[in-house]
Amino acid sequence: MASLSLTHIGGTNNSVAEFVRTRCRPITTQIGRVGLRVTAETSREPDLRVTVNGLQMPNPFVIGSGPPGTNHTVMKRAFDEGWGAVIAKTVSLDATKVINVTPRYARLRAGSNGSAKGQIIGWENIELISDRPLETMLKEFKQLKAEYPDRILIASIMEEYDKAAWEELIDRVEQTGIDAIEVNFSCPHGMPERKMGAAVGQDCALLEEVCGWINAKATVPVWAKMTPNITDITQPARVALNSGCEGVAAINTIMSVMGINLQSLRPEPCVEGYSTPGGYSSKAVHPIALGKVMNIAKMMRSEFGDKADLSLSGIGGVETGGDAAEFILLGASTVQVCTGVMMHGYGLVKKLSAELKDFMRMHNFSSIEDFRGVSLEYFTTHTDLVRRQQEAIRQRKAIKKGLQSDKDWTGDGFVNETESMVSN
């Protein structure tokens, strides 16, 4: 992918926050809003620190946009527990248009669904973006940055198809001192009815235009959050990166119907007897998320290989350090968790960190960069798998038959070579 090698490409080790808020885009290098490629400190003991798009984080674990980042109280809790960064719940200019319903969640359990037994493996929500006044959220962003000046706070934003509205929203969130912006091009329910969220992320021409507006205005790193509800996720990811975004995040939730209550015959979650398709998350989506992230990472490596200032954030079903390691092995620089926090609490970050360190010790990795993207090279086409297996079978048969010619004898393997031609 674009940042599988680590290189310093400019700037100093002074205030990263100050540096990334100033555009620095010389024609010869096109560095953009950031001056650091993805790097990580290393030591013998596993070190989880990462620097992504110039943003220094104590670990790669990021609170994903949603309920865990909905107000000052919960975001403060996330920082206190040790999360590497927090992405706040998505905001827009006019929160009065956002009206949520209750209940708005439904769960899928392993085994017989509907019972109180069985592990929760799936989670559906029909929740919208933040319904709190923008002024309130902006005040809390500013308060959090005053209380935690060295921690990374990322604003998630969404607007209607209106250039002036996007520019105003970007300007207002940046004034609070936030460190980066994640653009929600991927919410699959509710918001697309207003031509927002996934309605933009699924239309590459529209996405390119809106990304152009955003990146012409923003002075902090911008991540584009991708929808999985599309045939080829690499297409919008490519458009976002070509349009100036410093990173992409994947995946948002998968459009779904959780189930039908077989007694009432009504869908879940049931609101006054009715429901609407919603976004699916939790453990069951993890393999799908890995596949989407792998595709994006391979595209980034192939098409943006030497632009190591670009980043990829993996999202989907992360509940263990091993889950996170898989995303990083596929090229992710950070790993986001939302539903996992809703199920297990903010203290989950300690478990994730300990388990990721255990994985790193097992393989003698000292930094995140030691293994980021390592597994990408092992993905290929089915045609190539057939060729590789046929070649392996041919070689095994050749070994069983022994040497084919006197020229094949070697000094080091002489005894084994002799044994390979003995029949009893």
Side-chain angles (χ1 to χ4, degrees):
M1 61 165 285
S3 53
L4 299 182
S5 60
L6 48 149
T7 314
H8 188 282
I9 61 171
T12 67
N13 290 326
N14 295 330
S15 174
V16 172
E18 179 180 353
F19 183 80
V20 299
R21 293 191 189 106
T22 305
R23 273 192 185 271
C24 179
R25 187 169 282 176
I27 294 175
T28 56
T29 58
Q30 295 183 340
I31 294 176
R33 288 179 285 262
V34 296
L36 291 176
R37 294 184 177 181
V38 179
T39 60
E41 300 294 332
T42 60
S43 64
R44 290 184 178 180
E45 172 69 11
D47 189 345
L48 299 185
R49 290 177 294 173
V50 293
T51 302
V52 183
N53 301 132
L55 309 175
Q56 297 177 348
M57 306 178 191
N59 58 64
F61 298 113
V62 178
I63 290 287
S65 181
T70 197
N71 61 46
H72 173 270
T73 300
V74 297
M75 289 187 281
K76 183 179 188 304
R77 175 66 180 273
F79 282 137
D80 289 342
E81 290 287 350
W83 289 86
V86 172
I87 303 177
K89 194 174 185 183
T90 304
V91 297
S92 62
L93 289 177
D94 187 359
T96 63
K97 296 180 180 180
V98 181
I99 303 175
N100 277 299
V101 295
T102 299
R104 50 183 177 263
Y105 307 133
R107 298 175 294 195
L108 178 66
R109 295 181 182 271
S112 178
N113 195 34
S115 71
K117 300 179 180 179
Q119 179 187 6
I120 297 171
I121 59 172
W123 187 283
E124 184 195 5
N125 84 88
I126 55 173
E127 184 163 314
L128 304 180
I129 62 175
S130 178
D131 57 10
R132 305 179 71 218
L134 177 62
E135 293 74 15
T136 301
M137 293 293 284
L138 297 178
K139 179 181 178 181
E140 293 183 0
F141 290 170
K142 191 171 184 179
Q143 182 180 353
L144 281 165
K145 285 305 299 179
E147 295 170 347
Y148 301 90
D150 298 326
R151 305 299 291 278
I152 301 303
L153 177 62
I154 300 173
S156 174
I157 64 173
M158 181 193 294
E159 256 308 322
E160 297 180 357
Y161 181 65
D162 182 330
K163 181 180 179 181
W166 278 105
E167 291 176 338
E168 179 184 350
L169 183 57
I170 291 167
D171 183 58
R172 294 183 69 179
V173 297
E174 284 195 358
Q175 288 181 28
T176 68
I178 51 95
D179 300 285
I181 291 171
E182 183 180 82
V183 191
N184 188 338
F185 291 131
S186 47
C187 180
H189 51 271
M191 307 315 296
E193 297 173 16
R194 295 169 53 195
K195 304 301 181 185
M196 300 167 74
V200 180
Q202 292 169 332
D203 184 333
C204 285
L206 188 59
L207 177 67
E208 183 176 21
E209 183 178 16
V210 175
C211 279
W213 300 342
I214 293 168
N215 288 298
K217 180 67 175 178
T219 63
V220 297
V222 174
W223 296 356
K225 190 171 184 179
M226 299 286 99
T227 174
N229 304 299
I230 191 168
T231 303
D232 182 0
I233 198 170
T234 66
Q235 293 184 9
R238 179 184 297 108
V239 166
L241 295 172
N242 279 328
S243 299
C245 294
E246 280 79 13
V248 292
I251 59 176
N252 206 326
T253 53
I254 301 170
M255 182 64 85
S256 66
V257 171
M258 179 55 76
I260 306 296
N261 185 307
L262 297 182
Q263 293 185 354
S264 68
L265 311 185
R266 302 300 178 100
E268 301 287 357
C270 193
V271 181
E272 310 303 332
Y274 292 81
S275 191
T276 188
Y280 192 48
S281 60
S282 194
K283 195 71 173 177
V285 311
H286 186 64
I288 299 171
L290 290 176
K292 300 292 186 181
V293 166
M294 181 273 293
N295 287 330
I296 294 174
K298 286 179 73 71
M299 179 276 292
M300 291 177 70
R301 172 179 278 183
S302 172
E303 301 179 24
F304 301 86
D306 59 348
K307 293 190 65 177
D309 52 319
L310 301 180
S311 66
L312 174 58
S313 188
I315 315 167
V318 172
E319 296 182 27
T320 70
D323 296 334
E326 290 178 306
F327 277 122
I328 298 169
L329 286 164
L330 291 177
S333 307
T334 57
V335 178
Q336 297 186 31
V337 187
C338 180
T339 307
V341 177
M342 296 170 69
M343 292 171 56
H344 305 293
Y346 291 89
L348 177 65
V349 69
K350 294 181 174 61
K351 174 178 179 287
L352 295 175
S353 296
E355 291 175 349
L356 184 57
K357 282 187 175 183
D358 288 342
F359 162 80
M360 292 170 69
R361 290 189 190 96
M362 180 171 64
H363 294 278
N364 199 29
F365 295 137
S366 60
S367 73
I368 298 297
E369 286 299 316
D370 283 351
F371 65 99
R372 193 165 63 83
V374 164
S375 296
L376 268 186
E377 65 180 289
Y378 302 114
F379 287 92
T380 185
T381 64
H382 189 272
T383 299
D384 186 57
L385 291 179
V386 172
R387 181 194 64 78
R388 288 174 180 273
Q389 186 157 74
Q390 289 175 341
E391 176 61 21
I393 291 172
R394 187 194 66 78
Q395 291 180 2
R396 288 195 291 269
K397 286 181 177 179
I399 292 174
K400 290 179 180 179
K401 289 180 180 178
L403 304 181
Q404 303 299 304
S405 172
D406 282 349
K407 66 179 177 58
D408 295 331
W409 289 96
T410 66
D412 292 337
F414 196 84
V415 173
N416 289 334
E417 290 161 359
T418 300
E419 288 294 324
S420 73
M421 291 183 284
V422 175
S423 65
N424 62 359

